[in-house]
Amino acid sequence: MGMTMTQKILAAHAGLDRVEAGQLIEAKLDVVLGNDITSPVAINEFEKCGACSVFDNQRIALVMDHFTPNKDIKAAEQCRQVRGFADKYDIKNFFDVGQMGIEHALLPEQGIVGPGDCIIGADSHTCTYGALGAFSTGVGSTDMACGMISGKAWFKVPSAIKVELIGALQPFVSGKDVILHLIGKIGVDGALYRSLEFTGEGVKSLSMDDRLCIANMAIEGGAKNGIFPVDDVTLAYCKDRFQREPKIYVADEDAVYDETITIDLSSLRPTIAFPHLPENTHTIDEIAPGQIKIDQVVIGSCTNGRLEDLEVTAKILKENKVAKNVRCIIIPGTQSIYLEAVRRGWVEIFVEAGAVFSTPTCGPCLGGHMGILGKGERAVSTTNRNFVGRMGHIESEIYLSSPAVAAASALTGYITDPTH
Amino acid sequence: MNAHGTVHKYGDNVDTDVIIPARYLNTASHQELAAHCMEDIDKDFVKNVKNGDIIVANKNFGCGSSREHAPIAIKASGISCVIASTFARIFYRNAINIGLAILECDQAAQEIRGGDEVRVDFDTGVIENVTTGKTYQAQPFPPFIQNIVTKGGLLKSIEK
């Protein structure tokens, strides 16, 4: 009986020839990640248990991205605590305002994570790095603390759902539509405790930005991780970027999957998740023009704050105006994406259209700052969760979409088909 | 190890944003977090909860964010145990790691109602609804996991 791609990476990091679903293993970690919200809890645990060193000061990443630039005094104190810790233990990958980006946009871009890695992060969207062919999963702060001390974590080896992708996406349809379609199909706990392994000839047509977006939301289907095979697209992305040698793991021919789901990429339409769960999906064709009025648009986050996301936004907003009474907030994932948007003239397009362009931050995605919703307000957002109260008031509503749908909706004030 | 208390009942997919909204994540203080526990799904929870009470919910409890603040808030509010049909995996791991007792039992989760008095024996996995007299069998944790929970969390369990 063969192993899935995830199982092969876990076996290699546990020093075992083979593992099987359900087995408990202890694996060596390549990278341990935390942010300004989860790291303080981990640092408290780290200090309480009397630890006085980290396993490797090059393999820990601390990113101040959630409530930064500091939204209030308490947020400032949390960052101050993490800054002090990074300084004390000489953490090489500490990213503060000015260098920081949204962690899951930043770590792949900076080449801190790459193919074949085993990664834990105290942030649920750590599963993003599966796009690079890594095993990567979200954990809590205690696991982060233990990981920083020992460089190890225990895992229950997951079984997997195989997601076979065929065909290629139509214009204005993107990775976000693929993952929303899949979550709509399996539900928010459809992949609970399991891996989502993406495969098939359709993979090669997907850009790295699309893959990162798809893997990012594996958690929204309950998955432990989402993972893509390593191909020329991955290696081209990692070239001159990834700080170590890529290790390529391939699922065995006879790997066992709990089930196989086939998605024809060419058949997908712009897809929107209605409040208050990412599984409440509808295609744009099910929504009449002028049916769903909006107050705010957010384009950004670890899901959709990358270059291609801003590119399609600029294409749609160019020489157009954001509708009256709509606030359009655009947030790049990292400083280098920000700079590129400036250089390519997109920022000028955004500002002339009447949108605002922010420094990188998770900000409104989790109702932190930079675009909180009031009572009864409705947003179209390229973020990843639309739970009750996620972006503000408990009577506000979030519709999750791709950047193309969000940008088109910003122009009309209603949820709008970008292909029109 | 046992728990005995009054039940607070919730449905499917109780996410970590309603357990502890992100607007309160600018602190790691257990007591401050507990003061806002369940605020966006049950604004009276904090007022009503008593030490030892039990949360019962349906499937995928704790889905969403990896914030350990969620099980911390629940534990610090006095809850002795969470019973659900299923738990989201990060919450499951976090609950054990911080020493919050949890049990998966679909039938108990379906049948137990808010306000019922429930007793739980973690060694045997037996859940008894004292109000209705009905008992349920959950899979108990193996001793090494029970040890983590009893000691008050993963790091406390490995402290020398």
Side-chain angles (χ1 to χ4, degrees):
Chain A
M1 197 170 78
M3 290 189 281
T4 65
M5 189 176 170
T6 298
Q7 290 166 353
K8 280 193 157 176
I9 297 174
L10 286 174
H13 285 80
L16 300 169
D17 290 334
R18 55 172 296 106
V19 295
E20 52 189 62
Q23 189 176 344
L24 287 168
I25 57 155
E26 190 174 54
K28 275 191 173 170
L29 301 170
D30 293 297
V31 177
V32 177
L33 162 74
N35 58 49
D36 53 315
I37 286 177
T38 57
S39 300
V41 178
I43 292 167
N44 291 345
E45 292 295 317
F46 182 97
E47 287 171 349
K48 256 194 277 176
C49 81
C52 50
S53 63
V54 297
F55 83 107
D56 186 338
N57 66 345
Q58 319 256 359
R59 301 295 188 105
I60 293 169
L62 301 173
V63 186
M64 305 298 93
D65 59 356
H66 276 61
F67 290 167
T68 52
N70 303 330
K71 80 181 182 90
D72 54 29
I73 294 169
K74 284 180 168 179
E77 288 302 316
Q78 288 191 312
C79 287
R80 199 168 68 83
Q81 182 188 11
V82 182
R83 200 174 293 121
F85 179 86
D87 197 37
K88 183 171 175 187
Y89 294 99
D90 194 23
I91 304 297
K92 298 298 179 196
N93 294 309
F94 172 66
F95 296 95
D96 212 333
V97 173
Q99 300 83 44
M100 72 83 176
I102 299 170
E103 51 196 341
H104 309 308
L106 187 71
L107 265 56
E109 175 196 287
Q110 295 293 317
I112 294 166
V113 292
D117 276 356
C118 177
I119 305 152
I120 61 166
D123 187 280
S124 59
H125 293 108
T126 303
C127 53
T128 307
Y129 318 135
L132 300 165
F135 170 79
S136 191
T137 193
V139 295
S141 297
T142 298
D143 278 319
M144 179 192 168
C146 284
M148 288 198 296
I149 297 166
S150 67
K152 290 177 188 165
W154 66 267
F155 298 106
K156 190 168 171 181
V157 175
S159 63
I161 297 174
K162 183 179 187 175
V163 184
E164 181 97 26
L165 303 176
I166 57 171
L169 295 169
Q170 302 286 337
F172 294 105
V173 181
S174 66
K176 186 62 163 286
D177 302 297
V178 178
I179 190 64
L180 286 176
H181 171 81
L182 178 62
I183 294 164
K185 218 169 159 128
I186 65 173
V188 292
D189 63 348
L192 192 58
Y193 305 126
R194 299 189 279 180
S195 306
L196 283 170
E197 294 212 359
F198 296 90
T199 178
E201 49 95 11
V203 168
K204 66 177 188 297
S205 71
L206 294 172
S207 68
M208 212 58 224
D209 284 3
D210 280 329
R211 297 180 197 187
L212 288 160
C213 171
I214 293 169
N216 172 273
M217 284 187 70
I219 177 72
E220 262 56 69
K224 183 168 202 151
N225 67 314
I227 196 164
F228 278 84
V230 176
D231 63 7
D232 293 346
V233 175
T234 327
L235 294 174
Y237 179 86
C238 293
K239 192 169 179 293
D240 304 326
R241 192 190 292 270
F242 185 40
Q243 299 166 357
R244 288 169 276 124
E245 269 308 301
K247 286 207 188 73
I248 301 174
Y249 294 87
V250 181
D252 287 327
E253 291 276 331
D254 59 343
V256 177
Y257 297 93
D258 291 349
E259 58 183 299
T260 299
I261 294 168
T262 303
I263 297 176
D264 179 358
L265 298 173
S266 64
S267 71
L268 295 183
R269 295 282 296 146
T271 301
I272 295 102
F274 282 32
H276 290 285
L277 280 178
E279 70 182 28
N280 294 338
T281 56
H282 297 266
T283 67
I284 195 73
D285 309 309
E286 298 168 51
I287 303 166
Q291 184 188 334
I292 303 171
K293 194 176 184 319
I294 56 167
D295 304 288
Q296 179 167 300
V297 169
V298 174
I299 297 171
S301 83
C302 61
T303 311
N304 281 125
R306 298 187 181 81
L307 214 52
E308 285 179 10
D309 302 319
L310 299 191
E311 184 175 31
V312 72
T313 303
K315 196 168 172 180
I316 292 168
L317 294 189
K318 191 174 183 181
E319 290 163 12
N320 282 310
K321 292 279 179 207
V322 169
K324 194 169 180 286
N325 299 327
V326 173
R327 298 140 2 219
C328 180
I329 301 161
I330 303 170
I331 307 174
T334 66
Q335 288 286 92
S336 74
I337 295 168
Y338 187 113
L339 190 57
E340 199 55 32
V342 172
R343 286 180 177 149
R344 296 194 193 187
W346 298 343
V347 178
E348 203 172 326
I349 293 171
F350 299 152
V351 174
E352 282 185 346
V356 296
F357 191 64
S358 156
T359 188
T361 181
C362 303
C365 172
L366 75 161
H369 63 154
M370 289 294 292
I372 306 301
L373 298 172
K375 184 176 179 175
E377 289 190 329
R378 196 177 279 157
V380 174
S381 177
T382 70
T383 54
N384 40 58
R385 292 194 175 122
N386 54 354
F387 300 147
V388 170
R390 172 82 177 173
M391 200 177 274
H393 197 280
I394 57 168
E395 289 176 40
S396 60
E397 291 184 346
I398 305 162
Y399 289 73
L400 302 175
S401 80
S402 68
V405 169
S409 304
L411 297 179
T412 60
Y414 294 87
I415 293 183
T416 296
D417 186 349
T419 61
H420 286 166
Chain B
M1 205 177 113
N2 295 295
H4 185 179
T6 305
V7 167
H8 303 259
K9 181 73 194 281
Y10 304 99
D12 289 339
N13 304 314
V14 174
D15 62 78
T16 54
D17 278 284
V18 294
I19 295 173
I20 183 72
R23 59 184 177 274
Y24 302 120
L25 298 186
N26 54 6
T27 177
S29 153
H30 294 197
Q31 289 320 312
E32 274 187 68
L33 293 169
H36 300 289
C37 188
M38 309 303 275
E39 188 171 294
D40 282 359
I41 191 173
D42 178 1
K43 62 179 170 37
D44 295 325
F45 173 82
V46 171
K47 205 169 63 195
N48 296 335
V49 68
K50 298 182 303 299
N51 224 14
D53 279 1
I54 292 169
I55 286 177
V56 179
N58 297 116
K59 66 169 189 162
N60 204 26
F61 186 87
C63 63
S65 151
S66 69
R67 61 189 71 157
E68 208 161 282
H69 312 67
I72 288 172
I74 289 174
K75 190 181 173 193
S77 72
I79 289 290
S80 61
C81 173
V82 183
I83 299 166
S85 301
T86 55
F87 290 90
R89 64 158 282 275
I90 304 178
F91 184 92
Y92 186 92
R93 201 174 165 108
N94 286 348
I96 293 168
N97 281 345
I98 65 134
L100 171 66
I102 54 173
L103 279 179
E104 282 189 340
C105 183
D106 185 48
Q107 202 193 349
Q110 300 290 343
E111 294 180 5
I112 294 172
R113 310 210 166 273
D116 285 357
E117 184 188 341
V118 165
R119 198 180 286 147
V120 181
D121 182 333
F122 294 105
D123 298 327
T124 60
V126 171
I127 299 165
E128 181 192 356
N129 188 338
V130 179
T131 307
T132 63
K134 200 154 176 188
T135 62
Y136 307 90
Q137 181 67 54
Q139 182 77 31
F141 277 131
F144 88 97
I145 297 280
Q146 276 209 51
N147 181 49
I148 295 174
V149 176
T150 313
K151 291 267 171 63
L154 181 63
L155 285 164
K156 289 203 180 84
S157 76
I158 58 173
E159 265 175 14
K160 293 284 184 304

